Amino acid sequence: MKILVCKGDGIGPEIVAAAEAVVKAASRRFNLGLEIDYAEIGLESLKSQGTTFPDATIQRMKESDGIILGPLHTAIYPPPEKGGPNASGGTRKALDLYANVRPSRVRPGCPAHVKKMDVVIVRENTEGFYADRNMFAGRGEFMPTPDVAISMRKVTREGCMRIAESACELAKQRSGKLTMVHKGNVMKMTDGLFADCVNEVASRYKLEVDEYFIDAMTALIVRKPEFFDVIVTTNMYGDILSDLAAELSGGLGLGPSINAGADHCVAQAAHGSAPDIAGRNIANPTAMILSCGMLLDWLGRRHKRPELQEAAKRIDEVIESQLADKNGRTPDLGGKLGTGAFGEAVAKRLAG
Ligand code: ATP
């Protein structure tokens, strides 16, 4: 099974190396037969190939079973026409990765802003307000005059139905409860369509469904996080809500995610490239490692290979015990371990 690694920018190379050590240990321990290969992306490929998102990398991604993608510092990329397309959004579009799945869980012993939280946010990933991916040609943002800026939001029945399916499937495997989040009181057509689709799919799955507006939801998830389990929402609401959930449950360094479509899955930490701490061996690779675990779980389900799912479960358990030990943490969580040492410690626990 082929896994393609793209290191990314900022702390990307450090946290990806730590995650790679864990994935290799899992492959040995569970006989997964994973073959790891590399492709350039981001600032690295801008320097060597003149673009942050080379065609060759896209092709290699399409040929891989799974992809490990480090964070990308897109804010400093040159304009797309000068070689700086957003390779993160570009990957989601090129591989049609419509489901961004972001769990946030309070881990025993880890500092968190709330006592109890175990939610998974399922965010639509290919349309909505995202100007770089919601159009066939051109961008969903334009300025008719220097003083007028207009943004278009695209919501389709197909997009809503497939994200609803992903969320309902997950809710069925977990507590049977689904929360949908939107702003249908104001965005009556777009969010109205989203809500209709989620209700239709959820009734087929016979789930318990509740519904909140995004503004109320930001307050509720702080006030009673234990009340929620699987949350489904559109692209930008999900982006914002999942950062809030990650921070509440212990910080951005703990928030994993996968971006999944029908045929491809990319492991990608929910946080960004953190250029302020890059190259100092202090970044927390937990989110990246857990994202790789989620990728193995996705591959296990897709290829009906239970050993991949077993490896994913074990990675999660090992991270839990590693973080429960104060000496086993990186500086963002009050510990002293470096990024590399954290990865090695987790890999060692996995092998044992
Ligand atoms: P980008 O522009 O790529 O989104 P950013 O720095 O604006 O990067 P994030 O990287 O998401 O945004 O995070 C904001 C801050 O949180 C970082 O500056 C960093 O201090 C902290 N942070 C994020 N990820 C980690 C991590 N894995 N380990 C430790 N600290 C982190």
Side-chain angles (χ1 to χ4, degrees):
M1 192 163 266
K2 287 185 186 149
I3 304 291
L4 187 72
V5 172
C6 301
K7 294 176 188 164
D9 308 322
I11 58 172
E14 298 159 78
I15 59 170
V16 167
E20 209 186 306
V22 175
V23 169
K24 283 181 178 159
S27 185
R28 285 191 295 271
R29 168 81 174 70
F30 293 90
N31 253 327
L32 305 179
L34 302 179
E35 292 166 33
I36 296 188
D37 207 354
Y38 304 87
E40 285 185 337
I41 204 164
L43 297 172
E44 186 188 19
S45 62
L46 180 67
K47 205 165 160 196
S48 63
Q49 305 180 45
T51 172
T52 50
F53 199 31
D55 287 343
T57 296
I58 303 175
Q59 192 50 38
R60 302 268 305 283
M61 285 177 163
K62 287 182 177 166
E63 290 160 5
S64 303
D65 295 295
I67 297 136
I68 298 174
L69 176 59
L72 299 166
H73 195 188
T74 52
I76 61 161
Y77 288 3
E81 60 281 9
K82 293 196 172 144
N86 176 343
S88 187
T91 300
R92 293 168 196 184
K93 195 169 176 178
L95 304 180
D96 201 19
L97 307 174
Y98 58 84
N100 183 203
V101 184
R102 295 181 165 188
S104 286
R105 182 160 108 222
V106 173
R107 305 253 169 194
C110 261
H113 297 286
V114 291
K115 282 205 184 73
K116 216 172 145 204
M117 173 185 249
D118 184 2
V119 301
V120 184
I121 295 176
V122 181
R123 162 197 175 198
E124 202 293 322
N125 220 5
T126 49
E127 45 188 45
F129 266 123
Y130 282 72
D132 60 341
R133 77 200 69 150
N134 63 8
M135 304 284 280
F136 165 68
R139 287 175 65 84
E141 233 190 3
F142 51 94
M143 293 183 76
T145 78
D147 301 314
V148 177
I150 295 175
S151 174
M152 312 257 287
R153 180 180 190 225
K154 183 178 87 178
V155 174
T156 66
R157 188 173 297 279
E158 187 200 355
C160 296
M161 292 300 275
R162 63 186 187 173
I163 198 65
E165 283 285 347
S166 299
C168 289
E169 191 57 48
L170 185 65
K172 190 180 80 178
Q173 288 157 27
R174 286 173 56 103
S175 67
K177 195 174 152 212
L178 179 71
T179 299
M180 80 167 105
V181 174
H182 56 75
K183 186 71 183 166
N185 54 336
V186 179
M187 313 295 272
K188 288 186 191 292
M189 292 182 190
T190 43
D191 279 336
L193 177 57
F194 172 76
D196 286 349
C197 291
V198 175
N199 275 322
E200 185 184 327
V201 178
S203 67
R204 214 184 327 116
Y205 278 80
K206 300 190 172 42
L207 299 172
E208 183 192 329
V209 182
D210 54 12
E211 202 169 340
Y212 295 94
F213 297 135
I214 179 65
D215 43 349
M217 187 66 192
T218 56
L220 283 176
I221 202 162
V222 175
R223 200 185 311 149
K224 47 175 191 174
E226 71 285 354
F227 184 76
F228 301 103
D229 189 45
V230 176
I231 298 168
V232 63
T233 188
T234 56
N235 201 342
M236 194 172 285
Y237 306 147
D239 191 15
I240 298 166
L241 197 60
S242 59
D243 263 22
L244 174 60
E247 185 58 31
L248 287 175
S249 69
L252 288 179
L254 294 182
S257 86
I258 50 168
N259 290 292
D263 302 318
H264 297 93
C265 181
V266 177
Q268 203 178 1
H271 59 74
S273 63
D276 54 327
I277 56 166
R280 292 166 54 197
N281 195 30
I282 57 169
N284 185 350
T286 299
M288 196 67 244
I289 294 171
L290 289 172
S291 304
C292 291
M294 290 174 73
L295 168 63
L296 296 186
D297 184 67
W298 185 89
L299 286 169
R301 285 176 203 280
R302 178 169 155 74
H303 298 285
K304 301 201 173 20
R305 284 186 49 188
E307 69 277 19
L308 284 156
Q309 286 177 268
E310 209 185 316
K313 191 162 165 270
R314 190 69 195 126
I315 289 176
D316 197 83
E317 289 165 358
V318 161
I319 284 283
E320 192 109 346
S321 28
Q322 178 73 22
L323 292 176
D325 172 8
K326 190 166 188 295
N327 296 321
R329 302 181 201 152
T330 44
D332 56 311
L333 297 177
K336 291 201 175 98
L337 270 194
T339 313
F342 184 95
E344 280 161 30
V346 173
K348 204 166 152 201
R349 278 178 192 262
L350 199 61

